Every structure is written in structure tokens, then in C-alpha cells.
Amino acid sequence: MALAGAVSSRTRAAVFVVLAGYSWVMTGVHPFTTTSYVMVAVPSLAFVIAYVSLGGLSRRRDDVDAHYRRHAESATLRSVTPWITLLIAAVLLEVIGLLLGGRSTSVPTLSTAVDHLLEQHWERFLICLMWLLAGAVPVLGLLPLRARPER
Amino acid sequence: MNTTALWLVVVIAGACIELIGRLRPNSVASLRRGLSMSAEHTSGRILLIVFWLFVGVHLFARYTLPHH
């Protein structure tokens, strides 16, 4: 899901700056508050609506399927096996952590482990910026396809 | 054992797979290629979006700070 060539570097830089600013503000809000839910909901809705409006979830858009097939660069089930194995290991670790009560010090859940990385504002900022970019990149990737009609 | 050590192993393993994927693209896919492959169909894209939304809510609206 790399950035498409049709999106200018100026646009990408502008998106990065806006998301960085938003990430800094968003991660300064206390968790479990209405504001925190709203701050997460705004980019979530914005990206999902943009992605859907660009045809990202349309079953009639062969060009979207082709876009991802092109970026997969002939990846096969065999070549992604290491990632699937790692995913299964992570899921097993999470399940064991949950079975041990969720806050075990020997086998912690992923969220317990990640909580240690969220103590400082700058740490939350960086992780949040990565999350926002992960939402923005697929939208930017579909922008060059927006003029094509559904078949 | 440090609480984050096991997950650190997972992250390091992921970094190793990514490195091998870039050095030997014919045998191992990079994370970008793997994600693109899973997004080839609408159902895969829906799963990725749901996972992304879950991470956002879980990490940034519902996190708890240790020692607090």
C-alpha cells in the first residue's frame, strides 16, 4: 500500500504535517473521556468515509483489486507464510496472556506491554502518528483511481 | 522476565522477516507486499480497516498508564 506516484510530494508533506499536529493534540487528551473518543472518531470516520467514497470497499471496482495486486508484486501464500506464522504466535501469546488474567507479569497481553510505551506524551505522539499514517496511506493510494467509473 | 520481553521478541522477529523480505523478495514477502496481498479482495480490506479502528480506539482512547 505504498503512496501512489500521482500524489505529489507537496500533498504528502502537507498530510504528514496536519497528521503530526493532530497526533500531538490527540495524545495530550486523557483516556476514557468523551474528548478522547471524539479525537479518535474524527480521523477514523474521515479516513473510512474517504476510502469508501474512493471505491475502496466496492465489489464492482476491479481497478481497486488490481491496484493492490500490483502492489503485492506477485506475493504468494508461501512467501507470506513467515508473517502468518508470526501473527499466529502473537495471537497465541495474547490468548495465553488473557487466560492468565490480562495483567500477568510473565505473559502480558499486547495492550499491557504497549501501555509501557504510552507513558510519555512524545511516545504516544509517535505511535499515534504511525496509526494515523496507516489510515491515510491507503486513501492517498486510491486517489489516482478516483476518476475511473465503476464497471 | 521483563513484561515487554516476549512482545519484543515478536517485534524483532517481524523486523527480521521484513529485512529478509527486502533482501530475498522471491522467497519472503515484505510487510507492504503481504498487506497488499491481503487487501486484494474486499473482505481483506474490511478486516484491515476493522483492525485499524480497533487499534485506534484501544490504544488512544482506552489506554491505562502503568503506575497510575
Side-chain angles (χ1 to χ4, degrees):
Chain A
M1 287 189 274
L3 291 174
V7 177
S8 71
S9 53
R10 184 179 285 189
T11 305
R12 278 183 273 173
V15 168
F16 184 85
V17 169
V18 169
L19 292 183
Y22 192 88
S23 174
W24 185 260
V25 175
M26 183 175 146
T27 49
V29 173
H30 288 288
F32 295 100
T33 60
T34 306
T35 316
S36 71
Y37 285 110
V38 171
M39 292 297 280
V40 173
V42 168
S44 299
L45 284 174
F47 288 139
V48 170
I49 290 170
Y51 192 73
V52 170
S53 67
L54 288 168
L57 298 183
S58 172
R59 290 185 183 276
R60 294 182 293 166
R61 290 287 299 266
D62 285 344
D63 55 338
V64 175
D65 293 353
H67 165 78
Y68 287 112
R69 208 168 298 125
R70 208 166 43 248
H71 284 281
E73 296 170 17
S74 309
T76 59
L77 196 59
R78 189 164 174 261
S79 67
V80 296
T81 301
W83 290 112
I84 295 171
T85 308
L86 190 66
L87 183 66
I88 291 169
V91 169
L92 282 176
L93 207 54
E94 182 74 4
V95 169
I96 293 169
L98 288 171
L99 288 175
L100 290 173
R103 304 201 73 82
S104 165
T105 51
S106 54
V107 186
T109 61
L110 181 58
S111 57
T112 305
V114 171
D115 282 347
H116 290 273
L117 296 174
L118 298 174
E119 264 189 289
Q120 303 296 321
H121 189 187
W122 67 268
E123 292 171 326
R124 290 198 298 278
F125 161 73
L126 286 178
I127 295 172
C128 182
L129 181 57
M130 283 193 286
W131 177 72
L132 289 170
L133 288 172
V137 166
V139 174
L140 292 175
L142 290 189
L143 274 179
L145 307 178
R146 70 186 181 280
R148 297 181 192 175
E150 294 190 353
R151 71 169 165 84
Chain B
M1 183 181 279
N2 187 298
T3 53
T4 55
L6 282 169
W7 287 104
L8 208 56
V9 170
V10 173
V11 171
I12 291 169
C16 290
I17 296 170
E18 179 68 17
L19 188 66
I20 296 167
R22 284 164 188 260
L23 294 173
R24 295 171 176 270
N26 290 333
S27 49
V28 177
S30 64
L31 182 60
R32 185 182 69 87
R33 287 173 62 205
L35 286 174
S36 294
M37 186 188 167
S38 59
E40 280 179 22
H41 302 288
T42 311
S43 50
R45 295 197 284 275
I46 291 171
L47 274 177
L48 287 173
I49 288 174
V50 169
F51 179 71
W52 178 76
L53 290 172
F54 171 77
V55 168
V57 174
H58 196 54
L59 286 191
F60 307 113
R62 301 181 59 83
Y63 65 93
T64 43
L65 296 177
H67 320 300
H68 281 74

